[in-house]
Amino acid sequence: MSAPKYPSPQQLEVLYAEREAAVLALAGKGTIVAASLADLDRLGRCKVANEHWGICDESARQALLNDAHHSVRACATLAA
């Protein structure tokens, strides 16, 4: 059995930059809707809840509050 393959530090930097760019692109639209959250990973959705709750419409807020992942729900609950 082989060990799981983890991203290298360089690959992680790329992933983080892509996530940041995706979240900033959503924020740049001025309003975030629930459908926009579908392309984000868990940490991206947490970032939206933490940093951009104020520009989420009601559908996005409900999607974050009812997210499948407990971390996202927790971030949304704290932001609400």
Side-chain angles (χ1 to χ4, degrees):
M1 184 160 66
S2 64
K5 196 167 188 169
Y6 294 103
S8 70
Q10 295 80 14
Q11 290 169 318
L12 285 175
E13 285 184 33
V14 170
L15 291 172
Y16 296 155
E18 288 173 348
R19 178 184 302 124
E20 181 68 20
V23 171
L24 288 175
L26 287 179
K29 293 180 180 181
T31 302
I32 297 174
V33 298
S36 302
L37 301 172
D39 293 332
L40 295 177
D41 63 2
R42 171 184 56 90
L43 295 176
R45 294 188 311 275
C46 283
K47 195 168 185 63
V48 168
N50 287 332
E51 299 174 12
H52 303 294
W53 183 261
I55 62 169
C56 289
D57 75 354
E58 190 58 32
S59 70
R61 289 179 178 189
Q62 287 305 310
L64 293 167
L65 286 166
N66 296 303
D67 194 88
H69 201 281
H70 63 90
S71 294
V72 178
R73 292 191 309 269
C75 291
T77 299
L78 291 172

